[in-house]
Amino acid sequence: MIKSLSSHKEVIRSIFFLIFGVPTFLLLDSEYGDALVGNGQWVATILVFLAFIRAYRNGTKRVRNVLLIGIIIGLTGEYLFSKVLSMYHYRLDNIPLWLAFAHGLIFAWTLKMSKKLHRQTYNIHLQRVLLMISIAYSVFWLFWTNDVYGFVAAATFMLILLFTKKSRSFFLIMFVVVCYIELVGTSTGCWYWPETAFGIFNWLPSGNPPSGIAVFYFLFDAIVFWVYLYLLHPTTRLRYQRLRKVTSSSL
């Protein structure tokens, strides 16, 4: 009972940190932040870096690996999507340094939440609620901002969920978290999305932000897991494979 209460308090603290922490550093990395502290982007970078160090020190070996992998994969993805493909644009036309630490933090935070909630008896009900929120948000954004691009991305996201039963909580939480971060980031002017997909497909209008952009996090997550299991810890991958064979043979 005491352990359960402690776990619930930790979940509440983590959610509280996300809800209020994200607007804090994104407001700093905006024109409002520049007016307040001079160079808000650097202050935001320092805050995210401190959060990264705290998560690294308190994390398990797996979380630490994920955080470090996230630095490389995150920056590579940002350069590809923002600079090469022009999918979105940052206000200073750069790639903010805090992103080097933010992607791994988001991944680690979502992984931690999904594992804690997976142990709860209400996990299936929570999945349904998150799914309903995700669908409702995508439909609303489609009609409110003519976000066809985001709706297509969200539909693709839902389709992928059909094949990720064991990780469904993780990805549903990720979808909601990414939507929240995108809404705050675009509202504060830290970045913006073109009116059409990639700024070139006029037949595919986009919201600012697109509702289902979390689908691209599947790619980020898949690469992080691949690097972790195939390059850094192949023995862990083999253990999972043996466990899967045992489970399948017992059915």
Side-chain angles (χ1 to χ4, degrees):
M1 180 65 176
I2 295 176
K3 185 177 181 181
S4 178
L5 288 174
S6 176
S7 178
H8 279 78
K9 288 181 179 179
E10 187 177 356
V11 169
I12 293 173
R13 284 197 301 268
S14 296
I15 295 175
F16 182 88
F17 173 79
L18 177 77
I19 292 175
F20 293 98
V22 168
T24 297
F25 78 78
L26 286 180
L27 275 170
L28 284 169
D29 185 15
S30 69
E31 293 181 355
Y32 310 105
D34 288 346
L36 183 65
V37 296
N39 192 328
Q41 192 168 99
W42 277 107
V43 178
T45 298
I46 293 172
L47 290 179
V48 178
F49 177 70
L50 292 175
F52 181 92
I53 293 299
R54 184 178 183 276
Y56 186 86
R57 292 183 60 182
N58 297 335
T60 62
K61 184 178 180 180
R62 182 182 184 185
V63 169
R64 290 181 176 183
N65 283 325
V66 164
L67 288 170
L68 295 178
I69 296 170
I71 293 177
I72 301 173
I73 305 302
L75 285 179
T76 302
E78 287 291 339
Y79 182 81
L80 173 64
F81 291 130
S82 179
K83 291 298 185 180
V84 178
L85 299 178
S86 297
M87 185 183 292
Y88 48 85
H89 306 276
Y90 290 101
R91 71 180 182 96
L92 298 179
D93 198 30
N94 64 351
I95 298 177
L97 185 58
W98 56 261
L99 285 167
F101 314 107
H103 282 291
L105 277 174
I106 295 170
F107 186 100
W109 187 93
T110 306
L111 183 64
K112 178 181 178 181
M113 289 298 102
S114 62
K115 290 182 70 174
K116 284 186 174 297
L117 294 173
H118 184 73
R119 304 188 188 103
Q120 306 301 325
T121 56
Y122 55 79
N123 181 51
I124 298 299
H125 299 292
L126 180 63
Q127 286 185 19
R128 292 171 181 169
V129 171
L130 292 175
L131 180 61
M132 289 169 50
I133 291 174
S134 303
I135 294 174
Y137 172 73
S138 300
V139 172
F140 171 79
W141 217 239
L142 170 65
F143 289 100
W144 184 257
T145 65
N146 194 29
D147 181 29
V148 179
Y149 173 44
F151 186 78
V152 171
T156 305
F157 181 94
M158 303 305 168
L159 182 64
I160 296 175
L161 280 181
L162 296 176
F163 305 95
T164 58
K165 185 176 181 180
K166 291 184 179 180
S167 303
R168 195 164 293 166
S169 293
F170 174 86
F171 288 118
L172 282 170
I173 294 172
M174 178 69 77
F175 187 97
V176 174
V177 169
V178 169
C179 286
Y180 176 66
I181 294 174
E182 286 289 340
L183 284 172
V184 177
T186 52
S187 297
T188 53
C190 292
W191 63 81
Y192 69 93
W193 295 77
E195 295 182 356
T196 59
F198 299 91
I200 56 175
F201 298 108
N202 295 329
W203 49 271
L204 197 56
S206 172
N208 181 33
S211 63
I213 205 61
V215 71
F216 288 96
Y217 272 74
F218 273 115
L219 179 60
F220 173 82
D221 300 336
I223 295 175
V224 170
F225 276 126
W226 186 88
V227 172
Y228 180 84
L229 292 177
Y230 283 83
L231 298 184
L232 298 182
H233 297 281
T235 54
T236 302
R237 172 176 55 87
L238 293 175
R239 187 167 67 248
Y240 284 151
Q241 291 176 343
R242 287 195 296 267
L243 180 62
R244 186 178 301 174
K245 289 180 180 179
V246 171
T247 304
S248 300
S249 61
S250 63
L251 296 177

